[in-house]
Amino acid sequence: MVLRHGEVSDPGALDVASRLRAAGHPLAVLPLFLLDPERQLTLPSYHYRGHSAGLPYGPYHPSAPPGSTAHPLLVPAGDVTDVSASQLIRTAVDGWVTHSRGKAEARVFRFGAVIAPAMLAGASLAALPLQALAGVPAPEIAAQEATSAGVFRILFAAASSGGAYGAGLGGAYGRLAAWPIAGRALPARRTPASAVSAAWPALTAWPALTAWLAAASATRYLTFSARSRWYRQVAWDIGIAALRPGSHTLAILAATDTD
C-alpha cells in the first residue's frame, strides 16, 4: 500500500505497524511513507493475463554513453571488502544467485587519499581489479552519473522482481532489501513501542533516516555496463559504484543473470 499510495495513515495500518514493531519484525523498520529516493520506483502492472514490469537495467548497448577517456585515479586503491560488507551490498541481488543462475560481485576499495567526486568515471573503474570489467578498456565502459533515486529504483526492481528465475521478494521485502547500506542506519528492529508515538512518526522523528538521506543525497553514484565476458548480456545486468564526498572508500555492486 505504501508503494502504491506514497503514505498510509489509516488506524488499521497504524495498529499493524505498532504490533510489528513490538514483535521486532524485519519490516517494522520501514516507515509508512515513501522517502525521496523511493519515489521513482518501477512497480508491476497486473492484468487478467498475469503481470508485467519494466526493468531499469539491462545489457550493454552500443548507443549507451561511451566511457570516460579521462585519466584513471592516481591514488592507489586497496580491496578492503569483508564478508559482512559484501553480503550487505549484494542484498538486493541475493535472489539472482540463490534462486536463479546469476552471479554478483560486491567490493569495497579504499584509496590512499580523499577522492574528489569528479574523478570517478569509467576510467576509474577500469583501473580497479573488478571481475565484471576484466579486460575491458576504459573507453568501452559505459558509465554515467546517477541519483540516489535512480540507484534505489534499480535495487528495488532487482530485489522485488528477482532475476531470470524465481519470483523475487515482492514489494515490502524488496523495499527492505533495496537499502543495502541504509539498513544499518534504520532504527533498531526491537525499538520499544513506547518510544514511538501513537500516530506514525514524521520523518523528523526518524533521525537515522534523516541522516541517511543526507548522506545518500551527497553520494556520487555511477551506473556502468560493459560488453565483458563476465556479464551475461541478456536482460539482467547491473553495475553501480558509490563514492561519498570526503570519503576514502568506493563501493561496487555488479550483478548478472541469464535464463
Side-chain angles (χ1 to χ4, degrees):
M1 292 178 65
V2 175
L3 296 174
R4 294 286 179 181
H5 302 286
E7 182 175 0
V8 176
S9 58
D10 64 89
L14 296 177
D15 179 63
V16 171
S18 178
R19 286 189 279 119
L20 290 178
R21 289 194 299 273
H25 193 281
L27 296 179
V29 300
L30 296 174
L32 290 183
F33 50 87
L34 291 179
L35 305 174
D36 285 345
E38 300 178 304
R39 297 187 180 278
Q40 297 180 15
L41 301 182
T42 299
L43 299 176
S45 298
Y46 295 92
H47 42 80
Y48 72 97
R49 291 184 177 179
H51 70 278
S52 60
L55 301 178
Y57 43 76
Y60 174 86
H61 193 277
S63 64
S68 170
T69 57
H71 295 293
L73 298 178
L74 301 180
V75 182
D79 189 339
V80 295
T81 311
D82 57 30
V83 174
S84 61
S86 177
Q87 291 176 340
L88 188 69
I89 293 170
R90 60 183 283 174
T91 300
V93 295
D94 270 346
W96 293 23
V97 178
T98 58
H99 295 96
S100 190
R101 303 173 64 185
K103 55 184 176 180
E105 182 177 15
R107 308 278 290 276
V108 179
F109 296 96
R110 183 174 178 83
F111 297 90
V114 173
I115 302 301
M119 296 179 66
L120 184 61
S124 311
L125 302 178
L128 298 174
L130 293 170
Q131 298 176 23
L133 300 178
V136 181
E140 296 181 16
I141 298 175
Q144 54 190 130
E145 189 171 358
T147 63
S148 58
V151 168
F152 193 92
R153 180 169 175 255
I154 291 172
L155 296 174
F156 173 79
S160 62
S161 299
Y165 298 97
L169 298 176
Y173 283 97
R175 184 188 181 199
L176 182 65
W179 294 73
I181 303 301
R184 286 182 173 176
L186 290 171
R189 291 185 177 183
R190 294 193 178 275
T191 301
S194 59
V196 183
S197 60
W200 193 261
L203 186 57
T204 53
W206 295 66
L209 285 177
T210 303
W212 182 85
L213 288 172
S217 64
T219 297
R220 175 173 171 82
Y221 297 97
L222 287 185
T223 56
F224 62 87
S225 62
R227 191 184 287 110
S228 70
R229 293 184 177 181
W230 190 87
Y231 279 114
R232 300 286 173 70
Q233 305 292 336
V234 181
W236 302 272
D237 289 345
I238 289 175
I240 299 172
L243 174 71
R244 288 186 178 179
S247 173
H248 293 71
T249 57
L250 174 69
I252 301 286
L253 171 64
T256 187
D257 197 7
T258 186
D259 52 14

